[in-house]
Amino acid sequence: MNRLNTTDSFLDLTWDEYVIEVEDNYLLETGDDIDEDQYADIVRAYDRGLSPIGCAIALMDLRRHQGRPLAA
């Protein structure tokens, strides 16, 4: 199944669907779950219209800049 074809646009996602997409993308890329403190960043990304994959990438970049290694 091609996940890119599941919605016409990420703008059509509800809040819950958006969070699930971000969590799925983050888990696929890092092998780790999102920390509780990162949900505030997800809220800001959702409000600003950032795509779920863009949000996941931003969370990974922020984690790297904070000196916390990504799970291998």
Side-chain angles (χ1 to χ4, degrees):
M1 180 173 123
N2 187 348
R3 290 176 8 137
L4 296 176
N5 294 328
T6 57
T7 59
D8 293 332
S9 168
F10 71 88
L11 298 174
D12 296 333
L13 297 175
T14 66
W15 165 248
D16 292 334
E17 292 168 334
Y18 184 85
V19 171
I20 290 169
E21 286 289 322
V22 172
E23 289 172 335
D24 287 350
N25 286 310
Y26 191 84
L27 181 63
L28 286 171
E29 294 296 325
T30 66
D32 202 5
D33 291 326
I34 292 176
D35 296 332
E36 289 276 331
D37 58 336
Q38 292 176 303
Y39 284 98
D41 296 323
I42 295 173
V43 170
R44 285 190 289 277
Y46 181 79
D47 289 342
R48 292 183 177 152
L50 192 62
S51 69
I53 187 66
C55 179
I57 291 169
L59 292 174
M60 289 182 280
D61 286 344
L62 179 62
R63 188 171 178 171
R64 283 188 194 109
H65 284 36
Q66 291 174 341
R68 297 183 340 206
L70 297 173

